[in-house]
């Protein structure tokens, strides 16, 4: 829910948009909305690079991974990861919590190879 700031001409006027319900403007459109620091474009680019590396490894080794696990570096495990055999391949597994910003927790995910694409 974003509204354009009336009279906005350039960055010296502050942000071009005011958004409600988006934590500090943190969204894919944050650079357009006026926040140069808080955006996920870099994260999406890095995830794409990881998928490209996975694809290259699969091609070079003539194999196909069945699962992809994404975990951010600052994610701290207090207990061992649940065994993959307990997690259905037809679902994307994402931990609960830390998703109060109106989105989905992006710190860890277990998904099938096809879902990763």
């Amino acid at each position: 829910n974003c509204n354009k700031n009336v009279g906005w001409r350039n960055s010296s006027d502050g942000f071009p948009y005011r958004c409600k319900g988006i934590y500090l403007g943190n969204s894919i459109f944050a650079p357009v909305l006026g926040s140069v620091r808080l955006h996920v474009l870099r994260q999406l680019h890095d995830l794409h690079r990881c998928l490209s590396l996975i694809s290259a490894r699969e091609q070079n080794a003539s194999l196909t991974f069945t699962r992809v696990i994404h975990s951010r570096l600052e994610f701290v495990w207090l207990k061992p990861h649940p065994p993959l055999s307990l997690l259905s391949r037809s679902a994307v597994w994402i931990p609960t919590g830390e998703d109060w910003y109106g989105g989905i927790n992006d710190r860890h995910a277990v998904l099938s190879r096809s879902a990763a694409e």
Side-chain angles (χ1 to χ4, degrees), residues 46-113:
D46 290 346
L47 288 172
H48 175 73
R49 288 179 55 209
C50 286
L51 283 175
S52 296
L53 290 170
I54 290 169
S55 295
R57 174 69 177 139
E58 288 174 329
Q59 187 174 10
N60 290 340
S62 297
L63 60 86
T64 301
F65 293 107
T66 58
R67 301 282 187 105
V68 173
I69 298 176
H70 161 74
S71 197
R72 285 178 30 179
L73 293 175
E74 77 275 13
F75 196 75
V76 176
W77 285 96
L78 301 176
K79 299 212 175 214
H81 191 281
L84 294 180
S85 60
L86 296 179
L87 306 177
S88 169
R89 291 174 191 242
S90 64
V92 174
W93 293 88
I94 301 171
T96 60
E98 297 196 38
D99 49 5
W100 53 80
Y101 302 125
I104 296 174
N105 186 337
D106 67 346
R107 287 162 176 74
H108 185 78
V110 177
L111 51 162
S112 67
R113 178 64 179 93

